[in-house]
Amino acid sequence: MGLMGDRTRLWETRRLVEAPGDGSERDLTAYGPQAATAEAGDPADLELETARRRAAEAGDPAALSMLGALLLRRGDLDGAERHLRAATADGDRSAANNLGVLLHQRGYGDEAAGWWRIAAVAGSAAAAHALGRYHRERGDEPAAEYWLRQSAESGHALGAYALADLLEHRSDVGAERWFRAAAERGHREAAYRLARILDGRAPRARAGGLAGGLGPGGVETSVRELRAAAADGRDGGPAREAEQWYRQAAARGHRRAALHLGTLLEGRGETQEAARWYLTSAKDGESRAACALGFLLRDAGDCESAAVWWRRAAQDGDGNAANALGAMHADRGESGEAERWYRTALDHGDVNGAYNLGLLCAEQGRTAQAEQWYRRAAYAGHREAANALAVLLLQGGDAAGAEPWFSKAAEAGSVDAAFNLGILYAGRDEERTALQWYERAATAGHTEAALQVAIALLRDGDEEAAERHLRIAVRGGSAEAAFRLGSLLDRDDHAREECEEWYGRAARQGHRRAQVRLGMLVAERGDVVEAAHWYREAAEAGSRNGAFNLGLLLAREGSEPEAALWWARAAEAGHGRAALRLALLAARRGDLTEGRHWCDCAVRLGPAEVAERAARLRDALQQELTA
């Protein structure tokens, strides 16, 4: 059953009794044996019935019709039929409609339709509605539309709703008009259906995010998808109007309207009111609302209460809630309970259960079982499971087996799979194909893919396009992208302030090269203390440039012994200039043997100008030693 609401025909429960004279309609579901008992004990009703019987004895058609309607509502079909037939014989329209209701209850549908036709031709909107539903149930849609339109155009709420339902079934845009007409007359299901149409015009729905749950007969949309839509923060336009109709339907007790109202409010960050509507819907038996309420409680830090609602939803068949329980137990290290709930989710038809079982097995090192669960989910169309399966196969050395799964996942929209395909092709030196997949992933917001595209563009000399992709990657939190963006701006004297900002962001994330560059920038400003801080951060993380620059700074400040310690660390890590500095220090102290040692290191490490200077110094030291 789709999110458009219950499609159960109103035929069985919504035949209307029409009161004679005023054209008003009453819902038969409000009457029955219990209601009849209550009315029978009401002195006012007894007095009214007595008055109607007296009027009926006088042969008044309106009184006969009224009495028949009263008996029909009380369930006295025999008594009602006699009076209604008498009234219809005198041409009473309401009696003809109500006689149709009575005959339908007795199983004489064709005869009922005949009386409804008489009443409808005479102008009864209720009879036109009943006749339209009768024809629709028998597959005669043209006749159904004719009579339902007669009813709707007469201002009949149920007729408008039934006409809208028929038109929507045929994908006729005119459905919205009649849902609106019924909703404006207080029809709660019409208000809900109208809200769903309007909600479907929001940006995410147009992009296909929830299309499966919007149309007639569409699949059930899970709370996972509803929360994803809420996270988009849709606002204004159709979404705002949709909210108004959700509110109207929810206020009248429509549990799905309350659920969707909750998601709209959650998307705007109004979590307290969202929680109230989720609670209202959940108490009315909507498992997805119970699940959504669980997520809100978890986000608020109340995991125990969240588990209560998730358990309730899971027991009602909500696979998403079962997965949430599984994840909660997995986070606690309770793998047995986690596996039980993941299996429950799978039993409820949620393929995420198989994917999560695969993740659980992979974390425990049960690779064979992980592969089995990933395959099960991947064959069911789970794109992230297909990507995970491909990664598992690639790690096992089966690149040929991994590639089709990466492709399948990427074509299904997995951004990670597109990026992984880029890595796969780059490893084969198929740079052009790799770049195509990186660009696809970057377009979808993948941080590392945007960085790889930027690197390729920098290599090709397209700095402007590279900068755009670097900024995308920076927004995703990439320290390397922040460093490269800083390096790009470092070439422009007018962008030094922004350049320092990006170096700083990367440096605070532990990027060693950014720490060194930031230290150099602040040193140029004369801020020796901050420069030393960043050089030391880089050096202690293993940066030989950081250690060398820290040594230079300390030497200038008169701390040559400590500077030598950092130069030694840099030289041992392969820094030629640091080795040359140590050689010069040793020569100044007269330690010719150590000086030759560091000269040899500098010659070996380079670069060329350093090696040349170190070779001359070594020759001089050799002459000193042999003098």
Side-chain angles (χ1 to χ4, degrees), residues 486-503:
S487 299
L488 193 61
L489 296 171
D490 208 351
R491 305 170 191 177
D492 183 354
D493 291 337
H494 300 291
R496 277 302 179 90
E497 186 175 340
E498 187 183 359
C499 159
E500 184 174 330
E501 175 190 342
W502 296 119
Y503 280 146

Side-chain angles (χ1 to χ4, degrees), residues 398-545:
D398 186 4
E403 184 177 346
W405 285 112
F406 277 140
S407 296
K408 184 174 182 178
E411 293 297 342
S414 171
V415 181
D416 287 336
F419 176 67
N420 289 337
L421 273 173
I423 294 174
L424 194 67
Y425 283 110
R428 297 174 182 170
D429 294 327
E430 298 180 39
E431 296 295 339
R432 184 176 296 277
T433 306
L435 182 58
Q436 289 173 354
W437 284 109
Y438 285 146
E439 287 175 337
R440 183 166 176 172
T443 301
H446 194 286
T447 299
E448 290 303 313
L451 175 60
Q452 291 302 319
V453 173
I455 291 172
L457 290 167
L458 285 171
R459 192 166 53 238
D460 293 340
D462 190 349
E463 293 187 355
E464 184 177 344
E467 182 179 339
R468 287 199 304 271
H469 281 86
L470 285 173
R471 290 185 183 276
I472 292 170
V474 165
R475 286 198 294 271
S478 171
E480 180 67 22
F483 167 71
R484 288 179 179 269
L485 181 56
S487 299
L488 193 61
L489 296 171
D490 208 351
R491 305 170 191 177
D492 183 354
D493 291 337
H494 300 291
R496 277 302 179 90
E497 186 175 340
E498 187 183 359
C499 159
E500 184 174 330
E501 175 190 342
W502 296 119
Y503 280 146
R505 179 178 295 193
R508 287 188 290 274
Q509 291 179 255
H511 194 287
R512 294 181 303 180
R513 293 168 68 193
Q515 289 168 342
V516 173
R517 287 296 304 158
L518 183 59
M520 294 171 66
L521 286 181
V522 297
E524 288 175 7
R525 293 205 309 264
D527 192 340
V528 177
V529 175
E530 188 178 356
H533 164 74
W534 287 116
Y535 288 150
R536 193 179 299 274
E537 287 283 321
E540 289 178 346
S543 168
R544 62 190 185 187
N545 285 328

Side-chain angles (χ1 to χ4, degrees), residues 60-416:
D60 183 355
L64 288 170
S65 179
M66 186 71 74
L67 182 56
L70 176 63
L71 294 171
L72 177 59
R73 288 197 297 272
R74 291 181 174 180
D76 183 357
L77 301 187
D78 290 336
E81 182 173 357
R82 177 165 53 88
H83 294 293
L84 290 174
R85 286 191 181 277
T88 56
D90 288 329
D92 188 276
R93 183 191 75 181
S94 300
N97 175 58
N98 293 338
L99 182 56
V101 173
L102 184 150
L103 292 168
H104 184 268
Q105 289 182 10
R106 284 185 159 169
Y108 303 127
D110 292 341
E111 188 179 354
W115 287 110
W116 282 327
R117 182 180 298 276
I118 291 171
V121 169
S124 169
H129 164 249
L131 188 58
R133 297 305 298 265
Y134 169 85
H135 284 298
R136 186 175 181 188
E137 285 190 350
R138 280 154 182 75
D140 188 353
E141 291 196 359
E145 181 179 353
Y146 174 81
W147 290 111
L148 290 175
R149 195 173 291 278
Q150 293 290 321
S151 176
E153 290 176 350
S154 297
H156 192 276
L158 288 179
Y161 173 76
L163 176 60
D165 184 69
L166 175 63
L167 294 174
E168 188 181 62
H169 174 71
R170 299 205 302 249
S171 300
D172 189 321
V173 294
E176 181 181 343
R177 170 196 172 190
W178 294 111
F179 277 136
R180 188 181 299 276
E184 288 171 348
R185 290 174 174 81
H187 194 291
R188 73 174 192 181
E189 183 67 20
Y192 172 69
R193 300 273 289 275
L194 175 60
R196 296 301 293 134
I197 291 173
L198 295 168
D199 207 7
R201 292 177 185 160
R204 180 177 179 87
R206 285 199 300 271
L210 289 180
L214 296 177
V219 297
E220 279 286 347
T221 302
S222 70
V223 70
R224 184 186 305 108
E225 294 168 303
L226 293 176
R227 283 172 60 83
D232 275 358
R234 297 177 301 194
D235 198 11
R240 278 292 186 182
E241 188 181 358
E243 180 185 340
Q244 296 171 7
W245 292 112
Y246 280 141
R247 283 188 181 278
Q248 177 173 308
R252 292 173 177 269
H254 197 293
R255 69 187 193 188
R256 286 194 178 94
L259 167 65
H260 285 276
L261 178 57
T263 65
L264 288 180
L265 292 166
E266 184 182 2
R268 293 209 302 269
E270 299 174 30
T271 54
Q272 288 189 338
E273 188 180 359
R276 288 198 295 273
W277 286 111
Y278 284 149
L279 180 61
T280 298
S281 181
K283 285 182 175 178
D284 285 339
E286 179 56 61
S287 63
R288 290 171 299 159
C291 183
L293 180 58
F295 281 116
L296 276 187
L297 290 166
R298 181 205 61 184
D299 294 345
D302 189 354
C303 291
E304 295 307 315
S305 296
V308 170
W309 287 104
W310 281 335
R311 192 170 289 109
R312 178 170 173 175
Q315 289 168 349
D316 288 339
D318 192 293
N320 194 26
N323 274 315
L325 282 168
M328 184 184 72
H329 286 292
D331 289 342
R332 294 174 178 174
E334 299 165 355
S335 57
E337 276 295 289
E339 184 168 343
R340 182 172 78 85
W341 284 110
Y342 288 150
R343 288 181 181 274
T344 299
L346 189 57
D347 290 341
H348 290 329
D350 192 328
V351 71
N352 282 287
Y355 173 59
N356 288 333
L357 282 167
L359 292 174
L360 187 65
C361 291
E363 289 171 2
Q364 297 171 345
R366 295 154 57 192
T367 306
Q369 293 95 325
E371 181 179 339
Q372 290 174 0
W373 288 117
Y374 285 151
R375 281 189 184 277
R376 180 167 177 176
Y379 277 120
H382 195 293
R383 66 191 186 192
E384 297 309 327
N387 178 59
L389 175 60
V391 170
L392 202 63
L393 293 170
L394 192 60
Q395 290 172 343
D398 186 4
E403 184 177 346
W405 285 112
F406 277 140
S407 296
K408 184 174 182 178
E411 293 297 342
S414 171
V415 181
D416 287 336

